[in-house]
Amino acid sequence: MYKLTHLKELESESIYVLREVAAQFERPAILFSGGKDSIVVTYLAYKAFYPAKIPFPLLHIDTGHNFQETLDYRDALVKKLGAQLVVGSVQESIDKGRVKEEKGYNASRNRLQTTTLLDTIEEYKFDACIGGARRDEEKARAKERFFSHRDEFGQWNPKNQRPELWNIFNGHKNMGEHFRVFPISNWTEMDVWQYIYAENIPLPSLYFTHERRCFLRDGQWLAAEPCMTLKPTEEVVTRRVRCRTIGDITCTGLTISEANTLEDIIAEIAATRVTERGGRADDKRSETAMEDRKKEGYF
């Protein structure tokens, strides 16, 4: 008897969810950040509908403070898969007065993405946005359903979600509401890396060890890029680092590492005792930082 490995079982579950999205919604989109999780979701969508093209556009919210490597990878992937790309600009939201840019040493555009995302969803009338969040990442994300309801203001109420028994998903919504869908909810960080290794999925070079100018702040290495304002006591040095998770430059922590291959990364993660989002500065603003942002409409 043929027996599925746990990775094939996870893949099968995710593909089932993606096909349910295609069946139940009229205008879905994949939330694409250029991080490994959104890349895996994109490749799963490619598998789910092959030989047809992915039936959803990729929606990227550009903070204006993205790593160039991320943008280069995004454009190459879109061309390779023949996918449609929709870009929402945080800078445009600032210019229009929709959001106010933060000032100071800890300024970040990460939270500003929420307004840009909701405006873009409204502009393109997306009724489902497919994300790469996983329940093992963070306690607020552990509360998400596969089909996570958002009200007409794009807000999330974790106490008002629908039961999902026997993998039966209810995508019914009222006018103006939409859903966030998380096909890899049951995956772990290790599952993602093992799947990337097994499927030979290319990744941005940021995930592998490279030399980068960086500085230490509150015990965390950050990239010394033009969008970062350094304190007088902070010194820029060159270190061999890699990104464990990729987001806006202002909140993406760097890991001192010599992991040059997928095998090295898998071994490094197996040995670490620091959570994946332990290197994200945006999660350290408060104990409930992620949940507060998600209630407002964040990814």
Side-chain angles (χ1 to χ4, degrees):
M1 179 184 291
Y2 178 70
K3 185 176 181 180
L4 291 175
T5 66
H6 85 283
L7 285 180
K8 283 299 182 182
E9 288 178 347
L10 289 171
E11 178 191 73
S12 178
E13 177 183 63
S14 299
I15 286 176
Y16 170 73
V17 172
L18 287 163
R19 289 172 176 168
E20 279 292 300
V21 172
Q24 295 196 39
F25 297 98
E26 295 182 6
R27 294 183 62 82
I30 295 176
L31 296 173
F32 188 82
S33 67
K36 67 183 187 312
D37 299 315
S38 66
I39 291 169
V40 165
V41 169
T42 302
Y43 271 89
L44 287 166
Y46 175 76
K47 267 196 169 187
F49 302 101
Y50 183 84
K53 292 183 179 180
I54 299 174
F56 324 124
L58 305 188
L59 170 56
H60 179 226
I61 302 302
D62 184 359
T63 66
H65 293 163
N66 297 103
F67 289 99
Q68 187 59 45
E69 294 93 329
T70 303
L71 300 178
D72 292 343
Y73 179 92
R74 177 200 69 186
D75 295 341
L77 181 65
V78 167
K79 183 177 180 180
K80 175 183 176 181
L81 299 182
Q84 178 188 353
L85 176 66
V86 173
V87 178
S89 170
V90 172
Q91 183 61 57
E92 188 174 305
S93 297
I94 295 170
D95 294 342
K96 290 180 177 179
R98 294 283 294 142
V99 292
K100 183 177 181 180
E101 186 154 24
E102 295 180 0
K103 304 295 183 182
Y105 295 119
N106 296 308
S108 173
R109 289 185 174 182
N110 194 55
R111 191 162 191 161
L112 306 187
Q113 293 182 88
T114 299
T115 298
T116 307
L117 172 61
L118 294 177
D119 286 349
T120 307
I121 289 172
E122 174 64 24
E123 178 183 353
Y124 287 88
K125 301 295 186 284
F126 293 131
D127 56 357
C129 290
I130 306 162
R134 309 184 322 269
R135 293 191 181 113
D136 77 319
E137 282 184 89
E138 201 272 341
K139 55 193 175 185
R141 286 182 165 168
K143 299 178 182 180
E144 292 278 21
R145 301 287 201 269
F146 278 101
F147 277 31
S148 185
H149 176 263
R150 298 299 196 269
D151 66 19
E152 65 271 28
F153 301 107
Q155 297 180 332
W156 173 62
N157 181 354
K159 296 181 179 180
N160 186 27
Q161 297 296 315
R162 296 162 184 179
E164 294 180 340
L165 306 176
W166 306 291
N167 283 344
I168 297 174
F169 303 120
N170 181 358
H172 177 75
K173 57 181 175 51
N174 296 314
M175 181 67 70
E177 299 174 345
H178 73 276
F179 277 78
R180 304 290 171 84
V181 181
F182 303 105
I184 62 171
S185 289
N186 286 338
W187 297 46
T188 66
E189 181 187 10
M190 182 62 81
D191 291 330
V192 169
W193 281 110
Q194 289 178 335
Y195 187 78
I196 289 169
Y197 176 73
E199 296 291 315
N200 195 27
I201 298 174
L203 293 174
S205 58
L206 290 165
Y207 278 113
F208 302 94
T209 294
H210 58 283
E211 288 193 347
R212 184 172 294 273
R213 296 174 70 250
C214 51
F215 63 96
L216 190 64
R217 175 177 292 173
D218 299 328
Q220 183 177 66
W221 289 100
L222 296 169
E225 298 289 339
C227 61
M228 302 295 285
T229 302
L230 273 66
K231 300 176 182 179
T233 56
E234 292 172 337
E235 178 185 5
V236 175
V237 296
T238 300
R239 289 284 186 271
R240 289 182 60 77
V241 298
R242 73 175 193 87
C243 294
R244 190 172 167 189
T245 176
I246 295 176
D248 187 83
I249 289 173
T250 59
C251 61
T252 299
L254 305 173
T255 301
I256 302 295
S257 173
E258 291 296 331
N260 289 310
T261 66
L262 290 173
E263 295 95 325
D264 293 339
I265 292 174
I266 289 170
E268 184 178 272
I269 291 170
T272 189
R273 293 297 176 265
V274 178
T275 63
E276 180 179 6
R277 292 194 67 92
R280 290 294 294 262
D282 50 329
D283 288 352
K284 298 179 179 180
R285 291 194 170 196
S286 75
E287 185 67 23
T288 59
M290 172 61 80
E291 183 158 341
D292 291 342
R293 293 199 304 275
K294 285 180 74 64
K295 286 179 178 178
E296 295 170 356
Y298 187 74
F299 299 89

